[in-house]
Amino acid sequence: LNCFSYHHTPAGHMMETAAKAIGSAVYPGGVGQSEAQVQAISHFGISNFTGTPDFLKVILDKAENLATDISSLERAVVGGGALFPSMREEYAARGVTTLQFYGTADLGMVAYESLAMEGMILDEGVIVEILRPGTGDPVADGEVGEVVVTMLGNRDYPLIRFATGDLSAIMAGTSHCGRTNRRIKGWMGRADQRTKVKGMFVDPAQVDRVLKRHPEIRKLRLEVELVDNADRMTLKCET
């Protein structure tokens, strides 16, 4: 069940291509329509989910509310937002083993978890540096900095030192799963004020445009929080 969007972002097509590469049938669920998603899982016996971390909870909760058996769903690989430990624990308690990956629309896959769940293993097709934000200076392994990626494998769209704006750090050693490439600690925040909400970025410039459309508003503050393992935005206005 591919619950990444097939429009406005490339994530849906990226994950479908990956699933088909390993011989998996794909149900293109896309975003929303949780009741129909639950019915599809139950009807087809779907065993794998891919999508944003919080949308998996929406589907599990909907199945519970509808008293629909979706016990066939056993595995999930999620991205587009942070998989917090509380989320992973909740999904495991409900019978779904969940791993996460890290990528961007421009780069595709950058890093991914294995069943060892010891950080995120870097994809073999990219070169990752951790740099001090705002500079081109690498930080020492273990220090937090901005994830900067070079990708030369795509001859139509090569990227050199693409600054993602995400923060992470290089981990020492290799994974116990047997993979030998370097690892990062996963997503550790942003080097700027852009924030992911339900898998999509919200930029401060968007908030500023709202402010400029309404002269009666003096100040705006957009607060993003995790409520019951789901993203919630609250726009606070001072008039």
Side-chain angles (χ1 to χ4, degrees):
L1 176 64
N2 184 7
C3 286
F4 279 112
S5 174
Y6 280 79
H7 59 283
H8 295 305
T9 80
H13 297 286
M14 287 162 60
M15 297 311 292
E16 175 156 329
T17 301
K20 287 184 175 178
I22 60 171
S24 180
V26 179
Y27 185 92
V31 180
Q33 296 183 302
S34 56
E35 185 170 335
Q37 309 271 22
V38 166
Q39 291 170 353
I41 296 168
S42 177
H43 179 76
F44 294 109
I46 290 171
S47 57
N48 301 277
F49 168 93
T50 186
T52 58
D54 53 343
F55 192 58
L56 177 56
K57 175 177 171 56
V58 171
I59 288 178
L60 293 172
D61 288 347
K62 178 62 72 171
E64 194 173 287
N65 293 338
L66 295 173
T68 301
D69 180 13
I70 60 168
S71 58
S72 62
L73 193 66
E74 298 176 339
R75 292 173 294 275
V77 58
V78 299
L83 175 64
F84 295 103
S86 60
M87 287 179 164
R88 198 196 309 259
E89 291 167 7
E90 178 183 346
Y91 300 157
R94 298 168 82 167
V96 182
T97 300
T98 308
L99 300 179
Q100 60 184 322
F101 70 90
Y102 167 62
T104 76
D106 297 271
L107 298 164
M109 181 75 73
V110 174
Y112 54 88
E113 282 187 315
S114 70
L115 286 171
M117 299 184 194
E118 300 170 334
M120 304 183 84
I121 302 158
L122 295 178
D123 184 80
E124 289 82 0
V126 297
I127 300 166
V128 172
E129 300 172 275
I130 306 295
L131 306 183
R132 188 164 288 106
T135 75
D137 302 329
V139 301
D141 287 358
E143 287 188 31
V144 177
E146 184 176 7
V147 178
V148 176
V149 182
T150 295
M151 182 181 69
L152 302 176
N154 186 342
R155 298 183 65 179
D156 298 320
Y157 190 42
L159 291 168
I160 298 175
R161 278 193 148 184
F162 179 88
T164 64
D166 294 317
L167 298 175
S168 192
I170 295 289
M171 296 178 64
T174 56
S175 173
H176 285 92
C177 72
R179 294 276 184 180
T180 57
N181 207 10
R182 303 181 83 194
R183 297 172 297 161
I184 57 175
K185 290 184 178 180
W187 185 81
M188 300 177 70
R190 291 286 300 174
D192 55 25
Q193 288 189 303
R194 298 177 80 206
T195 304
K196 276 276 184 76
V197 181
K198 296 186 177 180
M200 298 296 290
F201 275 116
V202 177
D203 194 282
Q206 294 172 289
V207 180
D208 185 59
R209 285 198 293 271
V210 174
L211 175 65
K212 288 174 178 175
R213 285 203 303 268
H214 300 278
E216 66 275 17
I217 298 176
R218 294 174 57 195
K219 294 180 182 178
L220 282 182
R221 177 183 176 88
L222 182 68
E223 295 186 353
V224 183
E225 54 190 337
L226 191 70
V227 179
D228 194 22
N229 282 333
D231 292 337
R232 184 172 74 183
M233 291 194 302
T234 304
L235 187 64
K236 295 186 175 181
C237 305
E238 179 182 313
T239 62

